[in-house]
């Protein structure tokens, strides 16, 4: 994922989490939490094309 | 016991990923966050409350990340306009001794900046200057991280001191007096460590002499400021005195100054002089002091609700958990400085639209991975705090240490700073805990709390968030392990020395 896309995802994620907590909306909190965990998963999993750094490492190991 | 092992897992995971597997900080932090979240959800049975903890972590991360973005923008502007080169030429011409250059910037001037701005600003500002003076990136980053760490407790206009005052009942004046003693010891330890990082054995003895002479003056200033309870400017004044002493040493030992200065004057054909080049940094200092004195109250605060886990652990509601004082927030100050300096550089034709685009592009490129690392790390930190994992670790440390608890008290401070990346947060988490432990064991709470704060202060040098910041400033993202190899041993040895002194004082 490119830098600007990551930043947009992070921003949206925070909006979900914060508004979810402020207005006590379970759904928004869930979306925010899951989104953050997915971002962490996307970082650690070497998916080619999804994660630039991970992709490079994956190609090298092959 | 199982609870303790579970509490230890995320930290062990982080250390193994960084130091053994040599993973990048972003991957190490992502693994640790996933592990911490899984343990909190499945073992500590957080229920849906885990999401609130995660958003609290995210909120804290935004506070730090915005400062990094501002500082990186400023750095890129200073670099692209050529101001950095002018500063380097001036430093090289007026301070010819490389060791004094190194000590002055990484140990003393970084501490002066910490006294004003804090929050990683010294690392972002000084590291690139050291690199452009010819020092290796990992050496530059490691030296600044170690060098200014003693002053973190006295920095950011005294925020860590106010934090420990908030969470303890012990008289703050007494704690800070003891902090000045421990701070002086930490100052000497970090100064000598910086000389070791400098790496030339031939000049090591000379470096230690410089450090000892400067520390005498800085330690005395620290004590005087603590005695008169001038907490807000304690770090700033001590750093300024240290800078003055080292510059005086340089003046005394300098022999070929005139020739070099002539060379500088003849050799430089820049669009502007040193006055314009240092303008952004001078503005940061001036604006920080100005807003501190004016103290505008315009604030943006984030509140978070409380919750109860399935195991019955109650997490209190947090009002003003993250608060941004719009004018005193380092990002605002850095942005104001960047805009004013940008206008000045444009008037000198050193900045055009093309350069501006390049500056913005480089800032986004450099900051993205650091942003993610810090979001993951601080989210993990808050998950560990809310789940009680950190409390478990500290209690285990007290149980294991017994009579030699004072030795470990500085390590508890270090643990808090390592996890949260912040002296203030470490004091908030463990300040009250250390006071209770000291009272129950019959030790002076003021001395133990002081050791906690200074342990947390130097622990900031190895906090993954701070190291990620250092790596970003040195443009070696992904090579955080090379910084750790230089910082870990000196910081652990310094903390041990603090612990031993603490033990001797209390027995």
């Amino acid at each position: 994922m490119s830098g600007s896309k990551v930043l947009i995802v992070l921003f949206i994620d925070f909006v979900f989490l914060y508004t979810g907590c402020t207005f006590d909306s379970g759904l928004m909190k869930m979306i925010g939490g899951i989104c953050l965990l997915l971002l962490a998963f996307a970082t650690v999993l070497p998916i080619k094309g999804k994660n630039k750094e991970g992709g490079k490492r994956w190609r090298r190991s092959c | 016991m199982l609870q303790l092992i579970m509490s230890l897992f995320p930290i062990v995971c982080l250390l193994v990923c960084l130091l053994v597997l040599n993973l990048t900080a972003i991957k190490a932090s992502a693994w640790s966050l996933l592990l911490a979240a899984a343990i909190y959800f499945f073992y500590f049975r957080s229920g849906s409350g885990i999401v609130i903890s995660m958003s609290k972590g995210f909120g804290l991360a935004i506070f730090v990340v915005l400062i990094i973005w501002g500082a990186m923008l400023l750095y890129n502007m200073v670099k692209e306009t050529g101001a950095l080169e002018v500063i380097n030429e001036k430093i090289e011409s007026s301070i010819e001794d490389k060791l004094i250059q190194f000590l002055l910037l990484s140990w003393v001037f970084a501490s002066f900046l910490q006294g004003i701005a804090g929050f990683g600003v010294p690392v972002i500002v000084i590291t690139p200057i050291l690199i452009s003076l010819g020092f290796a990136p990992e050496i530059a980053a490691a030296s600044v991280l170690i060098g200014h760490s003693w002053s973190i407790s006295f920095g950011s206009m005294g925020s860590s001191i106010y934090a420990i005052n908030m969470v303890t009942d012990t008289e703050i004046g007494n704690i800070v007096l003891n902090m000045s003693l421990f701070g002086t010891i930490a100052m000497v330890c970090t100064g000598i460590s910086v000389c070791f990082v400098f790496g030339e054995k031939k000049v090591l003895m000379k470096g230690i002499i410089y450090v000892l002479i400067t520390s005498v003056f800085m330690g005395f200033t620290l004590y005087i400021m603590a005695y008169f309870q001038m907490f807000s400017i304690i770090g700033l004044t001590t750093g300024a005195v240290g800078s003055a002493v080292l510059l005086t040493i340089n003046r005394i030992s300098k022999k070929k100054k005139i020739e070099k200065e002539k060379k500088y004057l003849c050799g430089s054909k820049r669009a502007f002089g040193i006055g314009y080049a240092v303008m952004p940094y001078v503005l940061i200092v001036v604006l920080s002091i100005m807003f501190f004195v004016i103290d505008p109250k315009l604030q943006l605060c984030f509140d978070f609700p409380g919750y109860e886990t399935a195991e019955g652990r109650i997490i209190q509601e947090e009002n003003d958990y993250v608060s941004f004082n719009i004018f005193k927030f380092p990002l605002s100050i850095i942005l104001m400085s960047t805009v004013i300096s940008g206008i000045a550089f444009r008037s000198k034709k050193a900045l055009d639209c093309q350069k501006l685009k390049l500056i913005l592009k480089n800032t986004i490129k450099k900051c993205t991975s650091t942003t993610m690392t810090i979001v993951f790390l601080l989210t993990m930190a808050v998950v560990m705090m809310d789940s009680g994992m950190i409390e478990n670790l500290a209690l285990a440390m007290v149980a294991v240490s017994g009579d030699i608890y004072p030795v470990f008290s500085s390590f508890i401070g270090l643990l808090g700073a390592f996890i949260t990346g912040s002296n203030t947060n470490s004091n908030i988490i463990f300040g009250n805990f250390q006071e209770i432990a000291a009272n129950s064991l019959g030790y002076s709470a003021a001395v133990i709390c002081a050791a906690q704060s200074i342990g947390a202060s130097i622990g900031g040098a190895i906090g993954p968030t701070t190291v990620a910041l250092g790596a970003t400033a040195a443009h070696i993202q992904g090579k955080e392990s090379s910084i750790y190899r230089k910082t870990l041993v000196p910081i652990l040895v310094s903390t041990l020395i603090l612990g031993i002194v603490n033990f001797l004082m209390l027995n």
Side-chain angles (χ1 to χ4, degrees):
Chain A
M1 215 187 296
S2 71
S4 50
K5 280 181 192 162
V6 168
L7 295 174
I8 292 165
V9 172
L10 279 173
F11 179 72
I12 294 170
D13 193 13
F14 182 71
V15 170
F16 271 118
L17 281 170
Y18 183 67
T19 47
C21 287
T22 309
F23 300 109
D24 200 20
S25 159
L27 183 69
M28 285 182 102
K29 278 192 282 190
M30 276 309 151
I31 295 170
I34 290 166
C35 201
L36 185 57
L37 289 176
L38 282 177
L39 205 60
F41 269 119
T43 307
V44 294
L45 295 176
I47 303 165
K48 200 178 168 187
K50 287 272 178 191
N51 181 327
K52 203 179 169 187
E53 203 177 324
K56 274 184 190 168
R57 277 174 182 262
W58 177 78
R59 281 196 295 275
R60 242 182 265 147
S61 66
C62 289
Chain B
M1 188 64 190
L2 186 62
Q3 209 171 41
L4 179 65
I5 293 168
M6 287 295 179
S7 305
L8 206 56
F9 257 146
I11 295 175
V12 172
C13 171
L14 187 65
L15 290 175
V16 169
C17 287
L18 281 172
L19 302 175
V20 182
L21 301 175
N22 275 339
L23 291 185
T24 56
I26 184 170
K27 285 198 171 193
S29 56
W31 275 120
S32 309
L33 167 64
L34 289 171
L35 190 61
I39 292 171
Y40 190 25
F41 190 77
F42 293 111
Y43 184 76
F44 290 95
R45 295 194 290 150
S46 65
S48 61
I50 189 174
V51 187
I52 296 175
S53 297
M54 285 168 72
S55 54
K56 279 157 80 177
F58 213 142
L60 282 179
I62 283 182
F63 188 90
V64 182
V65 159
L66 287 177
I67 299 166
I68 295 170
W69 279 80
M72 195 45 78
L73 180 73
L74 175 70
Y75 162 73
N76 282 322
M77 189 188 72
V78 169
K79 189 185 163 208
E80 291 302 326
T81 52
L84 197 59
E85 281 177 48
V86 177
I87 295 171
N88 296 340
E89 281 175 6
K90 184 65 188 168
I91 292 174
E92 278 184 328
S93 68
S94 44
I95 307 170
E96 60 192 52
D97 187 333
K98 279 273 172 195
L99 180 64
I100 295 184
Q101 275 180 12
F102 197 67
L103 276 173
L104 179 74
L105 289 169
S106 64
W107 181 53
V108 173
F109 190 65
S111 307
F112 171 74
L113 277 183
Q114 177 66 32
I116 305 161
F119 306 107
V121 172
V123 182
I124 289 271
V125 171
I126 304 291
T127 307
I129 296 178
L130 280 174
I131 293 169
S132 56
L133 283 171
F135 297 101
E138 59 273 15
I139 288 180
S143 65
V144 182
L145 284 167
I146 298 172
H148 87 293
S149 64
W150 69 267
S151 66
I152 297 176
S153 246
F154 306 102
S156 315
M157 298 288 184
S159 65
S160 300
I161 296 173
Y162 295 118
I164 205 156
N165 187 33
M166 276 192 305
V167 293
T168 58
D169 295 324
T170 311
E171 208 261 309
I172 189 64
N174 206 358
I175 295 178
V176 181
L177 268 183
N178 286 295
M179 275 172 69
S180 70
L181 172 71
F182 287 120
T184 308
I185 295 165
M187 184 194 292
V188 174
C189 291
T190 52
I192 293 172
S193 302
V194 165
C195 294
F196 272 102
V197 173
F198 184 73
E200 286 180 29
K201 285 179 185 168
K202 277 185 254 171
V203 293
L204 186 64
M205 208 51 223
K206 196 167 84 172
I208 292 172
I209 292 168
Y210 290 162
V211 166
L212 292 176
I213 294 170
T214 314
S215 295
V216 169
F217 289 92
M218 288 207 290
F220 182 70
T221 312
L222 206 56
Y223 182 82
I224 295 293
M225 299 304 281
Y227 184 80
F228 289 107
Q229 304 202 358
M230 297 168 86
F231 305 143
S232 300
I233 52 165
I234 188 167
L236 185 151
T237 320
T238 311
V241 168
S243 303
V245 172
L246 262 183
L247 286 171
T248 311
I249 291 173
N250 171 63
R251 195 168 278 262
I252 293 166
S253 64
K254 195 160 62 175
K255 288 170 188 169
K256 294 173 185 171
K257 183 193 168 193
I258 301 162
E259 288 164 34
K260 280 257 176 180
E261 267 183 2
K262 271 182 189 167
K263 189 181 158 192
Y264 163 70
L265 287 170
C266 298
S268 62
K269 283 177 186 171
R270 305 272 174 212
F272 49 80
I274 187 73
Y276 271 88
V278 295
M279 185 200 279
Y281 303 112
V282 173
L283 278 173
I284 289 177
V285 175
V286 171
L287 289 171
S288 299
I289 295 170
M290 191 181 89
F291 286 125
F292 178 74
V293 173
I294 298 169
D295 195 18
K297 300 286 181 202
L298 190 59
Q299 278 195 330
L300 175 67
C301 299
F302 289 161
D303 305 331
F304 294 94
Y307 65 91
E308 189 176 350
T309 66
E311 283 191 340
R313 184 182 166 81
I314 295 167
I315 313 299
Q316 298 294 334
E317 182 186 344
E318 299 279 0
N319 291 321
D320 301 348
Y321 188 72
V322 188
S323 65
F324 299 83
N325 186 313
I326 304 292
F327 290 102
K328 283 163 83 179
F329 184 47
L331 173 75
S332 318
I333 292 169
I334 294 170
L335 280 183
M336 282 181 224
S337 159
T338 309
V339 171
I340 298 169
S341 317
I343 294 167
F345 289 140
R346 178 129 177 101
S347 72
K348 290 280 171 185
K349 293 179 180 166
L351 186 66
D352 53 30
C353 285
Q354 215 169 4
K355 277 186 181 169
L356 200 62
K357 273 183 197 168
L358 189 68
I359 289 166
L360 292 174
K361 197 179 150 192
N362 284 343
T363 306
I364 293 173
K365 197 176 150 191
K366 295 284 175 202
C367 290
T368 308
S369 65
T370 313
T371 301
M372 286 176 78
T373 306
I374 287 170
V375 167
F376 292 152
L377 281 172
L378 282 175
T379 308
M380 179 195 88
V382 178
V383 164
M384 287 185 74
M385 274 188 253
D386 284 358
S387 62
M389 291 187 216
I390 294 177
E391 210 177 304
N392 291 337
L393 292 175
L395 284 170
M397 235 186 225
V398 174
V400 169
S401 58
D403 286 345
I404 54 163
Y405 174 73
V407 177
F408 282 84
S409 60
S410 52
F411 279 95
I412 292 175
L414 180 133
L415 174 74
F418 176 78
I419 296 166
T420 62
S422 153
N423 188 168
T424 306
N425 288 348
S426 177
N427 284 353
I428 289 170
I429 301 167
F430 291 132
N432 184 249
F433 168 83
Q434 295 256 26
E435 187 182 41
I436 294 166
N439 288 334
S440 64
L441 293 166
Y443 293 121
S444 160
V447 177
I448 293 277
C449 287
Q452 142 74 30
S453 192
I454 302 298
S457 184
I458 54 175
I462 54 167
T465 44
T466 333
V467 173
L469 186 69
T472 310
H475 306 288
I476 48 168
Q477 291 104 317
K479 291 182 184 168
E480 286 80 5
S481 54
S482 64
I483 299 178
Y484 269 116
R485 283 194 196 96
K486 298 213 176 290
T487 53
L488 207 53
V489 173
I491 291 300
L492 290 178
V493 171
S494 304
T495 314
L496 183 65
I497 291 170
L498 278 178
I500 292 169
V501 172
N502 190 23
F503 178 77
L504 295 174
M505 274 175 74
L506 292 167
N507 289 280

